[in-house]
Coordinates of all heavy atoms in Angstrom, one line a residue:
A165 N -17.2 -22.3 11.3 CA -16.6 -22.4 12.6 C -17.6 -22.5 13.7 O -17.5 -23.4 14.6 CB -15.7 -21.2 12.9
A166 N -18.6 -21.6 13.7 CA -19.7 -21.7 14.8 C -20.4 -23.1 14.7 O -20.7 -23.6 15.8 CB -20.6 -20.6 14.6
D167 N -20.6 -23.6 13.6 CA -21.3 -24.9 13.5 C -20.5 -26.0 14.1 O -21.0 -27.1 14.5 CB -21.6 -25.2 12.0 CG -22.7 -24.3 11.4 OD1 -23.4 -23.7 12.2 OD2 -22.7 -24.3 10.2
H168 N -19.2 -25.9 14.2 CA -18.3 -26.9 14.7 C -17.8 -26.5 16.1 O -16.8 -27.1 16.7 CB -17.1 -27.1 13.8 CG -17.4 -27.8 12.5 ND1 -17.9 -27.1 11.4 CD2 -17.4 -29.1 12.2 CE1 -18.1 -28.0 10.5 NE2 -17.8 -29.2 10.9
G169 N -18.4 -25.5 16.8 CA -18.0 -25.1 18.1 C -16.6 -24.5 18.1 O -15.9 -24.5 19.1
A170 N -16.1 -23.9 17.0 CA -14.8 -23.4 16.9 C -14.8 -21.8 16.9 O -15.9 -21.2 16.6 CB -14.1 -23.8 15.6
V171 N -13.7 -21.2 17.2 CA -13.6 -19.7 17.2 C -13.4 -19.1 15.8 O -13.9 -18.0 15.6 CB -12.4 -19.4 18.2 CG1 -12.1 -17.9 18.0 CG2 -12.8 -19.6 19.6
E172 N -12.7 -19.8 15.0 CA -12.4 -19.3 13.6 C -12.3 -20.4 12.6 O -12.0 -21.5 12.9 CB -11.0 -18.5 13.7 CG -11.2 -17.0 13.8 CD -11.7 -16.3 12.6 OE1 -12.3 -17.0 11.7 OE2 -11.5 -15.1 12.4
T173 N -12.4 -19.9 11.3 CA -12.1 -20.7 10.2 C -10.9 -20.2 9.4 O -10.9 -19.1 9.0 CB -13.3 -20.7 9.2 OG1 -14.5 -21.2 9.8 CG2 -13.0 -21.5 7.9
V174 N -9.8 -21.1 9.5 CA -8.6 -20.7 8.8 C -8.8 -21.1 7.3 O -9.1 -22.3 7.0 CB -7.4 -21.5 9.4 CG1 -6.2 -21.3 8.6 CG2 -7.2 -21.1 10.9
M175 N -8.6 -20.1 6.4 CA -8.9 -20.3 5.0 C -7.7 -20.6 4.2 O -6.6 -20.0 4.3 CB -9.7 -19.2 4.5 CG -11.1 -19.0 5.1 SD -12.1 -17.7 4.4 CE -11.3 -16.3 5.1
L176 N -7.9 -21.6 3.3 CA -6.8 -22.0 2.4 C -7.2 -21.9 0.9 O -8.4 -22.3 0.6 CB -6.4 -23.5 2.7 CG -6.0 -23.8 4.1 CD1 -6.2 -25.2 4.4 CD2 -4.6 -23.3 4.3
R177 N -6.4 -21.3 0.1 CA -6.7 -21.2 -1.3 C -5.7 -21.9 -2.2 O -4.5 -21.6 -2.1 CB -6.8 -19.7 -1.7 CG -7.3 -19.4 -3.1 CD -7.2 -17.9 -3.5 NE -8.1 -17.1 -2.7 CZ -9.3 -16.6 -3.1 NH1 -9.7 -17.0 -4.3 NH2 -10.0 -15.9 -2.4
D178 N -6.1 -22.9 -2.9 CA -5.3 -23.8 -3.7 C -4.1 -24.3 -2.9 O -2.9 -24.4 -3.4 CB -4.7 -23.0 -4.9 CG -5.9 -22.5 -5.8 OD1 -6.9 -23.2 -5.9 OD2 -5.8 -21.3 -6.3
G179 N -4.3 -24.7 -1.6 CA -3.3 -25.3 -0.8 C -2.4 -24.3 0.0 O -1.4 -24.7 0.6
W180 N -2.7 -23.0 -0.1 CA -1.9 -22.0 0.5 C -2.7 -21.2 1.5 O -3.9 -20.9 1.3 CB -1.3 -21.1 -0.5 CG -0.4 -21.8 -1.5 CD1 -0.7 -22.2 -2.7 CD2 1.0 -22.1 -1.2 NE1 0.4 -22.9 -3.3 CE2 1.4 -22.8 -2.4 CE3 1.9 -21.9 -0.2 CZ2 2.7 -23.3 -2.6 CZ3 3.2 -22.3 -0.4 CH2 3.6 -23.0 -1.5
L181 N -2.1 -20.8 2.6 CA -2.8 -20.0 3.7 C -3.1 -18.6 3.2 O -2.2 -18.0 2.6 CB -1.9 -20.0 4.9 CG -2.4 -19.1 6.1 CD1 -3.7 -19.6 6.7 CD2 -1.3 -19.0 7.2
T182 N -4.4 -18.1 3.4 CA -4.7 -16.7 3.2 C -4.9 -16.0 4.6 O -4.0 -15.5 5.1 CB -5.9 -16.5 2.3 OG1 -7.0 -17.3 2.8 CG2 -5.5 -17.0 0.9
E183 N -6.0 -16.2 5.2 CA -6.3 -15.7 6.5 C -7.5 -16.4 7.1 O -8.0 -17.4 6.5 CB -6.6 -14.2 6.3 CG -7.8 -13.9 5.3 CD -8.0 -12.4 5.0 OE1 -7.4 -11.6 5.7 OE2 -8.7 -12.1 4.0
A184 N -8.0 -15.9 8.1 CA -9.2 -16.5 8.7 C -10.4 -15.6 8.4 O -10.3 -14.5 7.9 CB -9.1 -16.7 10.2
S185 N -11.6 -16.0 8.8 CA -12.8 -15.3 8.4 C -12.8 -13.9 9.0 O -13.4 -12.9 8.4 CB -14.1 -16.0 8.9 OG -14.2 -16.1 10.3
Q186 N -12.2 -13.7 10.2 CA -12.2 -12.4 10.9 C -10.8 -12.0 11.5 O -10.7 -11.2 12.3 CB -13.2 -12.3 12.1 CG -14.7 -12.4 11.6 CD -15.6 -12.4 12.8 OE1 -15.8 -13.4 13.5 NE2 -16.2 -11.2 13.1
S187 N -9.8 -12.8 11.0 CA -8.5 -12.6 11.7 C -7.4 -12.9 10.7 O -7.6 -13.5 9.7 CB -8.3 -13.6 12.8 OG -9.5 -13.8 13.6
N188 N -6.2 -12.4 10.9 CA -5.0 -12.8 10.3 C -4.5 -14.0 11.0 O -4.7 -14.2 12.2 CB -3.9 -11.7 10.2 CG -4.3 -10.6 9.2 OD1 -4.2 -9.4 9.6 ND2 -4.6 -11.0 8.0
V189 N -3.7 -14.9 10.3 CA -3.2 -16.1 10.8 C -1.8 -16.1 10.7 O -1.2 -15.8 9.7 CB -3.8 -17.4 10.0 CG1 -3.3 -18.6 10.7 CG2 -5.4 -17.3 10.0
W190 N -1.0 -16.6 11.7 CA 0.4 -16.6 11.9 C 0.9 -18.0 12.2 O 0.3 -18.6 13.1 CB 0.9 -15.6 12.9 CG 0.4 -14.2 12.5 CD1 -0.8 -13.7 13.0 CD2 1.0 -13.3 11.7 NE1 -0.9 -12.4 12.5 CE2 0.1 -12.1 11.7 CE3 2.2 -13.2 11.0 CZ2 0.4 -11.0 11.0 CZ3 2.5 -12.1 10.3 CH2 1.6 -11.0 10.2
V191 N 2.0 -18.4 11.7 CA 2.6 -19.7 11.9 C 3.9 -19.5 12.6 O 4.7 -18.6 12.2 CB 2.8 -20.5 10.6 CG1 3.7 -21.7 10.9 CG2 1.5 -21.0 10.0
V192 N 4.2 -20.2 13.7 CA 5.5 -20.2 14.4 C 6.3 -21.4 13.9 O 5.8 -22.5 14.1 CB 5.3 -20.1 15.9 CG1 6.7 -20.1 16.5 CG2 4.6 -18.8 16.3
H193 N 7.5 -21.2 13.4 CA 8.3 -22.3 13.0 C 9.7 -22.0 13.4 O 10.3 -21.0 13.1 CB 8.3 -22.5 11.5 CG 9.2 -23.5 10.9 ND1 9.0 -24.9 11.2 CD2 10.4 -23.5 10.2 CE1 10.0 -25.6 10.6 NE2 10.8 -24.7 10.0
E194 N 10.3 -22.9 14.3 CA 11.6 -22.8 14.8 C 11.9 -21.4 15.5 O 12.9 -20.8 15.2 CB 12.7 -23.1 13.8 CG 12.6 -24.6 13.2 CD 13.7 -24.8 12.2 OE1 14.3 -23.9 11.7 OE2 13.8 -26.1 11.9
G195 N 10.9 -21.0 16.2 CA 11.1 -19.7 16.9 C 10.7 -18.4 16.1 O 10.7 -17.3 16.6
A196 N 10.4 -18.5 14.8 CA 10.1 -17.4 14.0 C 8.6 -17.3 13.7 O 7.9 -18.3 13.6 CB 10.9 -17.5 12.6
L197 N 8.2 -16.1 13.6 CA 6.8 -15.8 13.3 C 6.7 -15.6 11.8 O 7.3 -14.7 11.2 CB 6.3 -14.5 14.0 CG 4.8 -14.3 13.9 CD1 4.0 -15.4 14.6 CD2 4.4 -12.9 14.4
L198 N 5.8 -16.4 11.1 CA 5.7 -16.4 9.7 C 4.2 -16.0 9.3 O 3.3 -16.5 9.9 CB 6.0 -17.7 9.1 CG 7.3 -18.3 9.4 CD1 7.5 -19.8 8.8 CD2 8.5 -17.5 9.1
G199 N 4.1 -15.1 8.3 CA 2.7 -14.8 7.8 C 2.7 -14.8 6.3 O 3.8 -14.6 5.7
P200 N 1.6 -15.0 5.7 CA 1.5 -14.9 4.2 C 1.9 -13.5 3.7 O 1.7 -12.5 4.4 CB 0.0 -15.2 3.9 CG -0.5 -15.8 5.2 CD 0.3 -15.2 6.3
P201 N 2.5 -13.5 2.5 CA 2.9 -12.1 2.0 C 1.6 -11.3 1.7 O 0.5 -11.8 1.4 CB 3.6 -12.5 0.7 CG 3.1 -13.8 0.3 CD 2.7 -14.5 1.6
R202 N 1.9 -10.0 1.6 CA 0.8 -9.1 1.1 C 0.3 -9.4 -0.2 O 1.1 -9.7 -1.1 CB 1.3 -7.6 1.2 CG 1.6 -7.1 2.6 CD 2.2 -5.7 2.5 NE 2.5 -5.1 3.8 CZ 3.7 -5.3 4.4 NH1 4.6 -6.0 3.8 NH2 3.9 -4.7 5.6
S203 N -0.9 -9.4 -0.4 CA -1.5 -9.7 -1.8 C -2.9 -9.2 -1.8 O -3.5 -8.8 -0.8 CB -1.4 -11.2 -2.1 OG -2.5 -11.9 -1.5
E204 N -3.5 -9.3 -3.0 CA -5.0 -8.9 -3.1 C -5.9 -9.9 -2.5 O -7.0 -9.6 -2.4 CB -5.3 -8.7 -4.6 CG -4.7 -7.5 -5.3 CD -5.1 -7.3 -6.7 OE1 -5.6 -8.3 -7.3 OE2 -4.8 -6.3 -7.3
L205 N -5.3 -11.1 -2.2 CA -6.2 -12.1 -1.6 C -6.5 -12.0 -0.2 O -7.4 -12.7 0.3 CB -5.5 -13.5 -1.9 CG -5.3 -13.8 -3.4 CD1 -4.6 -15.2 -3.6 CD2 -6.7 -13.9 -4.2
L206 N -5.8 -11.2 0.5 CA -6.1 -11.1 2.0 C -6.0 -9.6 2.4 O -5.3 -8.8 1.8 CB -5.1 -12.0 2.8 CG -3.7 -11.6 2.8 CD1 -3.0 -12.2 4.1 CD2 -3.0 -12.2 1.6
L207 N -6.7 -9.4 3.5 CA -6.7 -8.0 4.1 C -5.4 -7.8 4.9 O -5.0 -8.7 5.7 CB -7.9 -7.9 5.0 CG -8.0 -6.5 5.7 CD1 -8.4 -5.5 4.6 CD2 -9.1 -6.5 6.8
E208 N -4.8 -6.6 4.7 CA -3.6 -6.3 5.4 C -4.0 -5.8 6.8 O -4.4 -4.7 7.0 CB -2.8 -5.2 4.7 CG -1.5 -4.8 5.5 CD -0.5 -5.9 5.5 OE1 -0.6 -6.9 4.9 OE2 0.4 -5.8 6.4
G209 N -4.1 -6.7 7.8 CA -4.5 -6.4 9.1 C -3.6 -5.4 9.8 O -2.4 -5.4 9.6
I210 N -4.2 -4.5 10.6 CA -3.4 -3.5 11.3 C -2.5 -4.2 12.2 O -1.3 -3.7 12.5 CB -4.3 -2.6 12.1 CG1 -5.3 -1.9 11.1 CG2 -3.6 -1.5 12.9 CD1 -4.7 -1.1 10.0
R211 N -2.8 -5.3 12.8 CA -1.9 -6.1 13.6 C -0.7 -6.7 13.0 O 0.2 -7.0 13.6 CB -2.7 -7.2 14.3 CG -3.3 -7.1 15.7 CD -4.2 -5.9 16.0 NE -5.0 -5.3 15.1 CZ -5.5 -4.1 15.4 NH1 -5.1 -3.5 16.5 NH2 -6.2 -3.4 14.5

Side-chain angles (χ1 to χ4, degrees):
D167 291 343
H168 289 84
V171 165
E172 261 289 22
T173 298
V174 174
M175 292 186 284
L176 303 158
R177 189 185 290 261
D178 300 324
W180 299 93
L181 173 67
T182 52
E183 57 189 346
S185 66
Q186 293 179 280
S187 320
N188 287 130
V189 183
W190 305 89
V191 167
V192 176
H193 177 67
E194 295 183 350
L197 187 70
L198 309 177
R202 294 177 178 88
S203 79
E204 291 183 344
L205 296 178
L206 67 155
L207 183 68
E208 181 65 14
I210 301 302
R211 263 50 29 199

